[in-house]
């Protein structure tokens, strides 16, 4: 067991003397600075050492019955590394000198001793003991680190001979580590690596750090990519900032990382990110622009209702502005169409088998066939990056889901990487799959009895605040350091899962870890690609086709309008008030819940889908718990409707007054 030094704790001193007066005198001298243990014989001293392994200094009399001080300290050295001080009279000086020459003691003092001199000896012996303990601790920690690194590490002396290296580095040379000690690198490598070594030595001679990424042939004949880094230890800089020469200045370090699978994986992930980055950005811009267009169009219509322009030229300008806003809506629709995933190869997929393949890949380095091109033929390095992953796959058969198998595998793998990054001190990542009967009130289309298949990736890492959770699916948002993440991974997973008719659920507590669940609708029977590509939401028919059957506008009922955008909320409320309805306004899902609970006369909720904190779907589900009979009209500026239940009424932004009132009348009449 490694015992770390405790700076605030007193060092322990063991005093051994057969005279009680000496023990009392030494205890009085030392007890203000040290914890003192006393023994009246060598045998008793050895027993105390067994019980107190943290003794830092031993002070022993030389002349004691049954066991002399030098003999006692020789036996004490077998069980303790404490510093030793002998107290002696002049008659015992030859035995003391012999013990000092043999390294059995650190100091000796004559009786009667000088207090200041003896205290100085004890302080030096205690300091040396603590230093040796720290050094032993560092040596064990470094040895453990060296032996367990996921890459090769070696140290060379000033003549280029290996003095330390781990088994991972020795494996690159195709021989045991012991056989490499004392050898020069050029005698262990082939011509392929020799040229790299010569170039590196030239860089090191000039004081530079050398790093090369090379495609090399391993001892088993496979071509692998290696990141080779070499550097000199160098001397610590002097006061002028210039390198200071010391005995280790010409020693060097060699690091050899096999990055083949890492490069293959990153290339695949970055390629997928490039394919969807522009589309994701376009969708986000179109969503925000639709909110602006809704406010612009609605405000123009309201102004024309409140005070119609009297001059034909002014009226024409109003109509031109409204028409321009409508053309803007058509443009954003094109952007939204572009943002949808179009490169998915959907089919019926057994999620349990997907996880078994990933488990084989991560645990045993066996890559599933369908990921060979994405991750490379040998993915041991890629799997080892993620650390410890525990899979929980039930033996019972799960219903199939309709999705892209490769994209699902990459999504789960990406979540595991994020989970690893969230655990900087290490930890276990849990991946599980289960069947769920329902998704918090949400139903599925073409599902096996409304069932869902849920894949969960969970860590016990740093967790996220509520503010972070509200933004994690935003394009380019990342909590990682600059250069560590693109901010596209989760938004891509979100878009992919929603395109398959599923949903992503996140639960996280700061300091308590994160759980991310991929909810995929289970399939009852085989379906073709055309059937599966349809939206999971079935909006009601166009308002123009059912206007004749609707009741008149303005029956005075109370409608709650929920939207985080002030301009959109004001326009929607203005349309409804002008039509004769009473209106309440809420800027968030939480505020809407409070109003529904306190105002039972609310007849309808008109709610935005995408809102921070609590989106429209979650707010509607909670409202349904309070008021099962209360209907919700969803408004959205984003056409990917995977967040919403099937069969709901959806009004797309930017909308006109007639479109809004048509849906409101239809829902109130239902």
């Amino acid at each position: 067991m490694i015992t770390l030094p405790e700076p605030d704790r007193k060092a322990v001193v063991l005093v051994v003397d057969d005279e009680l007066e000496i023990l009392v005198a030494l205890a009085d001298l030392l007890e203000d600075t040290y914890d003192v243990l006393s023994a009246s014989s060598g045998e008793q001293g050895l027993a105390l050492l067994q019980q107190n392994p943290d003794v830092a200094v031993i002070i022993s009399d030389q002349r004691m019955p049954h066991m002399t001080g030098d003999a006692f300290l020789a036996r004490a050295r077998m069980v303790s590394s404490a510093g030793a001080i002998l107290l002696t009279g002049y008659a015992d000086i030859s035995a003391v000198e012999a013990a000092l020459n043999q390294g059995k003691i650190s100091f000796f003092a004559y009786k009667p001793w000088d207090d200041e001199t003896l205290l100085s000896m004890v302080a030096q012996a205690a300091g040396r003991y603590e230093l040796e303990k720290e050094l032993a601790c560092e040596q064990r920690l470094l040895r453990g680190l060296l032996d367990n690194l996921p890459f090769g590490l070696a140290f060379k002396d000033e003549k280029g001979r290996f003095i330390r290296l781990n088994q991972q580095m020795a494996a690159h040379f195709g021989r045991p580590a012991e056989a490499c000690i004392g050898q020069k690198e050029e005698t262990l490598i082939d011509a392929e690596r020799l040229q790299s070594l010569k170039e590196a030595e030239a860089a090191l001679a000039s004081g530079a750090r050398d790093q090369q990424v090379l495609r090399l042939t391993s001892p088993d004949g496979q071509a692998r990519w290696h990141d080779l880094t070499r550097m000199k230890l160098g001397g610590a800089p002097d006061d002028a900032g210039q390198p200071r020469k010391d005995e280790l200045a010409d020693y060097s370090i060699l690091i050899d990382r096999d990055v083949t699978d890492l490069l293959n994986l990153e290339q695949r992930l970055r390629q997928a990110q490039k394919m969807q980055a522009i589309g994701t950005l376009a969708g986000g811009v179109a969503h925000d622009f639709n909110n602006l267009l809704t406010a612009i169009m609605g405000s123009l219509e309201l102004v024309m209702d409140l005070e119609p322009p009297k001059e034909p030229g002014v009226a024409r300008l109003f109509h031109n502005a409204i028409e321009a806003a409508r053309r803007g809506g058509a443009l954003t629709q094109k952007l939204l169409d572009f943002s949808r995933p179009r490169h998915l190869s959907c089919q019926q997929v057994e999620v349990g088998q997907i996880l078994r393949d990933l488990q084989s890949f991560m645990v045993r380095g066996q890559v599933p066939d369908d990921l060979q091109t994405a991750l490379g033929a040998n993915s041991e390095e890629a799997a080892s990056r993620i650390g410890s992953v525990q899979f929980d796959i039930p033996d019972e058969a799960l219903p199939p889901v309709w999705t892209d198998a490769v994209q699902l595998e990459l999504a789960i793998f990406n979540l595991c990487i994020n989970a690893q990054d969230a655990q900087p001190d290490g930890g276990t990542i849990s991946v599980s799959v289960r069947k769920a009967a329902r998704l918090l009130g949400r139903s599925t289309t073409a599902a096996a009895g409304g069932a869902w298949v849920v894949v969960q990736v969970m860590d016990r890492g740093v967790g996220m605040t509520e503010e972070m959770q509200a933004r994690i699916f935003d394009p380019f948002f990342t909590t990682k350091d600059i250069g560590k993440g693109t901010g596209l991974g989760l938004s891509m997973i979100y878009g992919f899962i929603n395109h398959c008719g599923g949903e992503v659920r996140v639960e996280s507590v700061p300091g308590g870890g994160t759980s991310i669940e991929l909810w995929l609708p289970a399939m009852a029977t085989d379906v073709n690609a055309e059937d599966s590509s349809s939206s999971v939401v079935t909006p009601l028919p166009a308002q123009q086709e059912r206007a004749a059957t609707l009741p008149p506008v303005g029956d005075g009922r109370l409608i709650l309008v929920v939207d985080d955008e002030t301009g959109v909320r004001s326009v929607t409320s203005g349309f409804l008030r002008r039509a004769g309805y009473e209106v309440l306004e809420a800027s968030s899902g939480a505020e809407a819940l409070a109003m529904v609970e306190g105002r039972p006369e609310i007849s309808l909720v008109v709610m935005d889908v995408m809102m921070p904190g609590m989106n429209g779907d979650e707010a509607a589900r909670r409202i349904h718990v309070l008021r099962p009979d209360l209907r919700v009209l969803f408004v959205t500026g984003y056409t990917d409707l995977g967040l919403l239940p099937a069969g709901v009424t959806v009004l797309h932004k930017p909308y006109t007054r007639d479109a809004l009132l048509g849906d409101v009348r239809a829902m109130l009449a239902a």
Side-chain angles (χ1 to χ4, degrees):
M1 181 180 67
I2 298 176
T3 302
L4 297 177
E6 301 179 26
D8 297 332
R9 186 175 180 273
K10 290 182 178 181
V12 180
V13 177
L14 172 62
V15 179
V16 182
D17 200 297
D18 60 324
E19 298 184 24
L20 179 61
E21 296 82 357
I22 298 296
L23 293 177
V24 172
L26 288 173
D28 290 342
L29 177 65
L30 299 170
E31 63 185 2
D32 290 340
T33 308
Y34 305 97
D35 287 334
V36 180
L37 301 175
S38 298
S40 59
S41 67
E43 292 83 355
Q44 187 180 1
L46 291 173
L48 285 175
L49 281 177
Q50 292 285 355
Q51 300 170 11
N52 301 273
D54 58 343
V55 171
V57 182
I58 302 172
I59 302 176
S60 175
D61 184 26
Q62 168 61 16
R63 180 174 294 181
M64 295 185 295
H66 307 299
M67 186 184 300
T68 61
D70 58 334
F72 158 67
L73 291 175
R75 293 180 60 180
R77 180 68 64 189
M78 300 178 183
V79 296
S80 173
S81 59
I85 301 174
L86 263 181
L87 296 179
T88 180
Y90 290 99
D92 304 314
I93 191 62
S94 59
V96 173
E97 289 178 346
L100 186 64
N101 292 333
Q102 295 170 9
K104 297 179 181 178
I105 63 174
S106 304
F107 304 99
F108 72 92
Y110 293 112
K111 293 181 179 180
W113 60 82
D114 178 73
D115 287 354
E116 291 186 3
T117 301
L118 183 59
L119 286 173
S120 175
M121 291 178 181
V122 173
Q124 292 183 58
R128 179 173 179 177
Y129 170 79
E130 293 296 335
L131 184 62
E132 290 178 347
K133 186 165 68 170
E134 290 181 20
L135 180 60
C137 175
E138 293 292 335
Q139 287 177 333
R140 293 184 64 182
L141 291 174
L142 290 175
R143 171 52 59 184
L145 175 64
L146 187 68
D147 291 340
N148 292 281
L149 286 173
F151 52 82
L153 178 64
F155 298 89
K156 301 179 183 179
D157 63 14
E158 73 281 0
K159 296 182 179 180
R161 298 171 300 193
F162 287 114
I163 56 174
R164 294 284 190 279
L165 78 164
N166 59 8
Q167 294 293 342
Q168 295 88 323
M169 179 64 77
H172 293 315
F173 302 137
R175 61 192 69 196
E178 297 76 12
C180 301
I181 298 297
Q183 300 290 325
K184 291 188 175 182
E185 185 178 357
E186 51 262 37
T187 65
L188 302 175
I189 59 178
D190 54 23
E192 197 174 14
R193 297 180 67 133
L194 188 58
Q195 182 61 34
S196 165
L197 176 61
K198 292 179 179 179
E199 295 175 2
E201 289 176 341
L204 292 177
S206 63
R209 176 179 181 271
D210 182 78
Q211 184 173 12
Q212 303 177 44
V213 178
L214 305 173
R215 190 172 184 269
L216 304 171
T217 303
S218 60
D220 60 3
Q222 292 187 1
R224 311 286 296 174
W225 286 96
H226 289 255
D227 182 346
L228 300 178
T229 303
R230 292 180 172 88
M231 65 197 80
K232 287 287 186 69
L233 286 179
D238 58 22
D239 295 338
Q242 298 299 319
R244 180 189 290 128
K245 274 285 189 180
D246 60 33
E247 63 273 14
L248 298 180
D250 290 326
Y251 282 48
S252 61
I253 302 172
L254 170 62
I255 302 172
D256 188 338
R257 294 194 304 150
D258 186 336
V259 294
T260 307
D261 300 300
L262 175 62
L263 292 176
N264 289 339
L265 177 60
E266 290 181 351
Q267 182 180 8
R268 174 64 185 239
L269 291 176
R270 290 189 179 277
Q271 183 63 29
Q273 291 169 352
K274 290 178 182 178
M275 294 292 290
Q276 297 192 31
I278 298 177
T280 303
L281 178 61
V285 171
H287 170 266
D288 293 339
F289 193 52
N290 272 333
N291 280 332
L292 297 177
L293 290 175
T294 301
I296 292 171
M297 289 178 59
S299 298
L300 289 172
E301 287 193 81
L302 285 173
V303 169
M304 293 186 69
D305 283 347
L306 292 171
E307 190 173 349
K310 299 177 181 179
E311 297 183 12
V314 176
R316 185 169 58 253
L317 290 175
F318 269 94
H319 286 295
N320 286 344
I322 293 175
E323 184 60 30
R326 288 173 179 169
R327 290 198 301 270
L331 177 61
T332 57
Q333 183 61 50
K334 293 180 180 179
L335 288 174
L336 291 170
D337 289 339
F338 173 73
S339 69
R340 295 175 180 175
R342 295 183 180 274
H343 301 285
L344 300 179
S345 178
C346 290
Q347 57 184 328
Q348 283 206 18
V349 173
E350 300 290 341
V351 178
Q353 187 58 47
I354 292 288
L355 293 186
R356 291 185 188 93
D357 290 342
L358 281 174
Q359 182 180 27
S360 177
F361 157 45
M362 294 181 187
V363 177
R364 296 186 293 274
Q366 298 174 359
V367 185
D369 293 340
D370 53 3
L371 280 182
Q372 288 288 340
T373 56
L375 302 175
N378 184 349
S379 57
E380 183 178 356
E381 175 67 18
S384 65
R385 302 180 54 222
I386 299 180
S388 177
V389 181
Q390 290 184 353
F391 286 80
D392 183 10
I393 308 171
D395 295 331
E396 64 180 57
L398 296 170
V401 300
W402 187 267
T403 187
D404 185 314
V406 175
Q407 291 298 323
L408 180 59
E409 287 175 318
L410 289 175
I412 298 170
F413 190 80
N414 199 2
L415 291 177
C416 290
I417 292 177
N418 287 346
Q420 179 69 23
D421 293 339
Q423 300 180 133
D425 297 328
T428 299
I429 302 166
S430 172
V431 179
S432 63
V433 61
R434 69 182 188 275
K435 178 182 176 181
R438 59 197 300 266
L439 173 54
L440 298 177
R442 177 177 167 186
S443 60
T444 65
T445 58
W452 295 79
V453 176
V454 184
V455 179
Q456 181 189 51
V457 178
M458 184 169 59
D459 65 73
R460 297 300 181 190
V462 296
M464 294 181 289
T465 63
E466 291 185 2
E467 292 77 12
M468 289 181 181
Q469 292 183 59
R471 298 186 59 195
I472 58 173
F473 296 123
D474 291 349
F476 306 110
F477 174 76
T478 179
T479 59
K480 299 177 183 179
D481 294 334
I482 296 175
K484 300 294 185 181
T486 63
L488 293 174
L490 286 175
S491 61
M492 291 171 61
I493 293 174
Y494 177 85
F496 156 65
I497 295 297
N498 276 273
H499 186 73
C500 297
E503 185 170 344
V504 183
R505 291 279 169 179
V506 179
E507 293 182 5
S508 186
V509 177
T514 299
S515 168
I516 297 183
E517 293 183 344
L518 308 181
W519 287 70
L520 295 165
M523 307 305 296
T525 57
D526 291 339
V527 295
N528 56 44
E530 292 181 358
D531 293 335
S532 67
S533 63
S534 60
S535 172
V536 296
V537 177
T538 306
L540 293 178
Q543 289 79 12
Q544 294 84 350
E545 298 177 2
R546 50 183 164 81
T549 63
L550 299 179
V553 173
D555 56 3
R557 280 190 276 185
L558 182 60
I559 298 176
L560 173 60
V561 176
V562 188
D563 201 302
D564 62 303
E565 290 285 341
T566 304
V568 176
R569 191 171 66 249
S570 298
V571 165
T572 305
S573 299
F575 283 154
L576 294 172
R577 289 192 179 100
R578 292 283 295 171
Y581 297 104
E582 293 185 26
V583 179
L584 290 175
E585 296 185 21
S587 60
S588 67
E591 187 179 352
L593 287 174
M595 289 185 176
V596 169
E597 189 172 11
R599 300 292 296 271
E601 67 271 26
I602 294 175
S603 301
L604 179 69
V605 179
V606 179
M607 180 143 50
D608 188 23
V609 176
M610 303 298 292
M611 294 186 295
M614 183 187 301
N615 62 38
D617 176 47
E618 183 178 355
R621 284 185 279 104
R622 296 192 181 188
I623 288 173
H624 183 72
V625 174
L626 298 173
R627 291 271 309 275
D629 61 319
L630 184 57
R631 304 192 67 186
V632 177
L633 168 62
F634 291 100
V635 294
T636 181
Y638 197 79
T639 56
D640 188 351
L641 302 173
L643 277 175
L644 301 176
V648 300
T649 305
V650 179
L651 180 61
H652 296 282
K653 300 176 183 178
Y655 49 81
T656 64
R657 174 190 56 189
D658 292 340
L660 171 66
L661 296 179
D663 278 338
V664 169
R665 291 161 63 198
M667 296 191 73
L668 290 175

